[in-house]
Amino acid sequence: SAVISQKPSRDICQRGTSLTIQCQVDSQVTMMFWYRQQPGQSLTLIATANQGSEATYESGFVIDKFPISRPNLTFSTLTVSNMSPEDSSIYLCSAYTFGELFFGEGSRLTVL
Amino acid sequence: KQEVTQIPAALSVPEGENLVLNCSFTDSAIYNLQWFRQDPGKGLTSLLLIQSSQREQTSGRLNASLDKSSGRSTLYIAASQPGDSATYLCAVLSQRDAGGTSYGKLTFGQGTILTVHP
């Protein structure tokens, strides 16, 4: 299995600011992904973090709002830009390895 | 578009009961199906992964079955314990999304909130 570490684990932010979430995997993986879980909802894929190229975003998510970096095969960041209360969610990093998808502990973001 | 539904939405049982959680999906062309556990405010822990060619998988007190043709999966938990209390999520990877860098594009159900009373 893969161990995925995220930080921060939680944060409270002011409207209009930006926050960057870091994700570290304990082994090299080709595929990393970012998911969002809004309060009381299930998970929705934001984007695929591609190493060495621009992330691939799902419908409804754009690079200006959720810029993603993937500098190597073990690390990725997700930035939530110009935050509003509607961005309050748990953001989860995941990696596909050993034939299945593994998740980090998530970053709980509250926007006031 | 793949849709995943989980029934029941919530379940409360006394300790020791055997229980079944249900998951259904609309598009039977799946690559695999995963069951996850999520504790409040936490990330997801993978419980069982069933490939489309498999009928069931077992891990300890957990058994997951898959009937691809009918679009259904069940998670059976034997002799439930208070420590099993969590949200259980079913997620499907569709065949059309299984390739290239798309192996992470899972479609999740809404989850079943399980409470096991001592």
Side-chain angles (χ1 to χ4, degrees):
Chain A
S1 64
V3 177
I4 302 175
S5 305
Q6 282 186 237
K7 56 180 180 181
S9 58
R10 58 176 61 224
D11 207 339
I12 300 173
C13 302
Q14 296 299 317
R15 182 195 300 260
T17 63
S18 298
L19 178 75
T20 296
I21 302 167
Q22 299 180 6
C23 175
Q24 180 75 53
V25 188
D26 68 342
S27 60
Q28 292 188 340
V29 294
T30 54
M31 304 180 201
M32 293 182 72
F33 310 89
W34 287 96
Y35 277 82
R36 181 176 73 180
Q37 186 176 30
Q38 295 178 298
Q41 303 294 315
S42 195
L43 283 78
T44 301
L45 180 64
I46 297 172
T48 302
N50 300 309
Q51 195 264 328
S53 63
E54 191 172 284
T56 304
Y57 291 84
E58 297 300 308
S59 176
F61 298 96
V62 295
I63 187 172
D64 289 345
K65 177 66 176 177
F66 298 101
I68 289 171
S69 77
R70 176 93 189 271
N72 56 51
L73 293 177
T74 64
F75 187 79
S76 179
T77 67
L78 168 74
T79 299
V80 186
S81 303
N82 188 25
M83 289 183 286
S84 66
E86 291 71 37
D87 295 319
S88 297
S89 298
I90 300 175
Y91 293 86
L92 297 113
C93 173
S94 65
Y96 185 84
T97 187
F98 301 104
E100 62 183 282
L101 200 63
F102 296 92
F103 283 82
E105 285 291 303
S107 299
R108 178 184 289 273
L109 175 62
T110 302
V111 184
L112 303 177
Chain B
K1 176 187 174 185
Q2 179 74 270
E3 294 181 0
V4 179
T5 303
Q6 291 186 245
I7 295 173
L11 184 62
S12 181
V13 300
E15 182 176 6
E17 276 203 6
N18 302 323
L19 50 97
V20 175
L21 308 182
N22 296 292
C23 171
S24 62
F25 44 94
T26 55
D27 184 353
S28 62
I30 66 169
Y31 185 79
N32 63 36
L33 182 146
Q34 266 184 276
W35 283 93
F36 293 91
R37 167 184 173 142
Q38 185 176 31
D39 292 291
K42 299 291 188 180
L44 275 65
T45 300
S46 179
L47 298 174
L48 290 165
L49 169 72
I50 308 178
Q51 302 293 346
S52 62
S53 60
Q54 297 175 321
R55 298 283 288 184
E56 67 176 337
Q57 283 285 343
T58 298
S59 177
R61 294 182 294 108
L62 305 180
N63 176 277
S65 66
L66 173 64
D67 185 343
K68 196 173 66 168
S69 61
S70 67
R72 294 182 181 181
S73 177
T74 60
L75 179 66
Y76 177 83
I77 303 177
S80 58
Q81 304 171 357
D84 294 330
S85 299
T87 297
Y88 290 80
L89 293 162
C90 169
V92 168
L93 177 62
S94 297
Q95 278 285 359
R96 65 176 179 273
D97 293 322
T101 60
S102 299
Y103 284 93
K105 192 173 180 178
L106 300 184
T107 302
F108 281 84
Q110 294 290 324
T112 293
I113 302 172
L114 173 64
T115 304
V116 181
H117 299 286

